[in-house]
Every structure is written in C-alpha cells, then in structure tokens.
Amino acid sequence: DAGVIQSPRHEVTEMGQEVTLRCKPISGHDYLFWYRQTMMRGLELLIYFNNNVPIDDSGMPEDRFSAKMPNASFSTLKIQPSEPRDSAVYFCASSSRIETEAFFGQGTRLTVV
Amino acid sequence: AQSVSQHNHHVILSEAASLELGCNYSYGGTVNLFWYVQYPGQHLQLLLKYFSGDPLVKGIKGFEAEFIKSKFSFNLRKPSVQWSDTAEYFCAVRDDKIIFGKGTRLHILP
C-alpha cells in the first residue's frame, strides 16, 4: 500500500477563498483523522470518522470548516472562507482498529495570505 | 475527556547523553499509548506503542518507554542519543480518538 495520500502538498491562497484538502486513507482502515499542526497549538484533532461516519467534530474551530467522507477511500476538509489564521500544516491519518496506531500522510502546508 | 501532557517543550543534549522525555495522560479507562517522532519537514512516524502486557516496551532506533499505571505516565527513554535523533517527539493516548501532547523538540549537539 502507498500509505495515506494527501493532496495538495502545498497550497497558497488568498483570504476569503475556498480551500479543499484531500485525503486517501490506507485501504481497509476504518478510522480517519484530520489534524492541524501549528507552532502555537501543536497537533490538534479536528475531526475523526469511523466507517465513513463523523464521530467527533468538536475540534473543528468554527463553521468555516467542514469535512466529509463520502466513501471509505476518500475524505475532504474544506475551509470556506479561508483566513490567514488558518495557515498551518494539515495532516490526515488512518488506522484499522482501536488497538492500532494511526498512519499519517505527508501533510498539506496551507498558507492563507 | 482524555488529555496528554508533555513536560519538556525543548531539550538540548550532547551526543551519547541519556534521554528521558516525560509524558502524563489523563483518562479513566483502558488506554493505548504511543510515541511518535517527526523529523524536520516530515510527517509523524510511530516510535513505539503500548496496548497491554509488559509495561516496558521497546521501539525502533533504540527507544523504549515504560508505562506506569499508578502514575499515569509513559516516559520515553534512550540510553545514548545520536545527532540523527534531532526531531520533535509526541506522546499520544487513544481510547477511540487519538489525542497528542504538544510535543518536545529535541536538539542533539554533535
């Protein structure tokens, strides 16, 4: 398996624009996590899915953020409208069951100017 | 709700020194514990994990960690660090979701 695949790797956008981050989890994994990493706040869990169903989205900062998982092999994180404070590295991770670790993608570095 | 606390935000050591990074968690049930490493510009990679059994777990690259249930701790150790261990280290706890500590930046002087 190629691992968790995220796209794009880098995204630069202007404030107010819509941004969509994409993630393809490892085949067969039931859990998918979205994290945001910043210097100030570290690695924050935004939302996670189990069997394509959102389980906990309490980490989503505000209504501008939304995430979907239409099938077992694809998830998106959307920010609309984007703001400079959304600049961060966004990681997607997947795992098979509770008693296992999560495998991380390479991340998307988002810069909002 | 579970939480993870890492005591050291930034650690600087010389090569061959011994390392211990502290991690305490807060959770009332059965937990799964992890240490991840993030090299500069890269994604997180698993160093080691604890689910049950022997509380002393060994991971890759000579790292080990000890689970002490009474202290809610899962400290990471390495007897002799190398320059290539320069990275950021994250402790994590899992019941269903996975929560990470804020990380410890480790800088090894050659």
Side-chain angles (χ1 to χ4, degrees):
Chain A
D1 202 312
V4 177
I5 299 173
Q6 292 186 245
S7 64
R9 291 291 308 278
H10 302 273
E11 177 81 36
V12 180
T13 191
E14 292 185 345
M15 182 173 62
Q17 295 298 305
E18 177 180 296
V19 175
T20 299
L21 311 182
R22 296 172 175 79
C23 176
K24 176 178 168 53
I26 293 173
S27 177
H29 281 190
D30 298 326
Y31 286 85
L32 185 138
F33 306 86
W34 281 101
Y35 291 91
R36 178 173 67 176
Q37 186 177 34
T38 61
M39 288 287 291
M40 292 298 295
R41 302 174 70 91
L43 200 62
E44 302 172 276
L45 176 64
L46 300 177
I47 185 172
Y48 79 102
F49 297 82
N50 184 17
N51 292 318
N52 313 338
V53 176
I55 303 301
D56 186 345
D57 66 353
S58 59
M60 297 285 260
E62 38 195 286
D63 292 344
R64 297 184 297 106
F65 285 69
S66 63
K68 294 182 179 179
M69 192 165 186
N71 56 62
S73 59
F74 184 65
S75 177
T76 60
L77 178 68
K78 185 177 294 186
I79 307 172
Q80 166 62 20
S82 57
E83 297 182 3
R85 60 191 167 123
D86 301 331
S87 298
V89 180
Y90 291 81
F91 286 103
C92 175
S94 71
S95 77
S96 57
R97 61 186 191 280
I98 292 177
E99 297 81 14
T100 62
E101 69 270 28
F103 295 82
F104 279 76
Q106 295 286 341
T108 295
R109 181 174 295 277
L110 173 66
T111 304
V112 183
V113 298
Chain B
Q2 73 235 61
S3 65
V4 180
S5 176
Q6 293 184 238
H7 316 301
N8 314 100
H9 298 296
H10 199 178
V11 173
I12 301 174
L13 295 172
S14 297
E15 272 192 314
S18 65
L19 169 72
E20 181 161 2
L21 301 182
C23 172
N24 285 91
Y25 67 92
S26 171
Y27 182 65
T30 301
V31 293
N32 301 313
L33 297 161
F34 309 89
W35 276 96
Y36 281 80
V37 62
Q38 185 179 30
Y39 297 104
Q42 296 189 23
H43 64 294
L44 277 75
Q45 303 169 50
L46 183 71
L47 268 181
L48 49 79
K49 58 189 176 185
Y50 173 80
F51 296 127
S52 63
D54 189 343
L56 184 63
V57 292
K58 295 191 182 298
I60 61 172
K61 305 186 181 190
F63 286 92
E64 65 179 30
E66 184 175 13
F67 170 57
I68 303 179
K69 188 175 181 179
S70 61
K71 295 184 178 180
F72 296 91
S73 70
F74 189 57
N75 293 352
L76 181 71
R77 299 195 292 249
K78 185 171 184 178
S80 177
V81 294
Q82 301 172 308
W83 177 79
S84 58
D85 293 326
T86 294
E88 189 160 15
Y89 293 80
F90 293 90
C91 182
V93 61
R94 179 173 196 179
D95 56 354
D96 198 35
K97 60 187 175 185
I98 306 176
I99 301 298
F100 286 83
K102 292 197 178 298
T104 298
R105 289 183 179 271
L106 175 64
H107 187 71
I108 305 300
L109 302 173

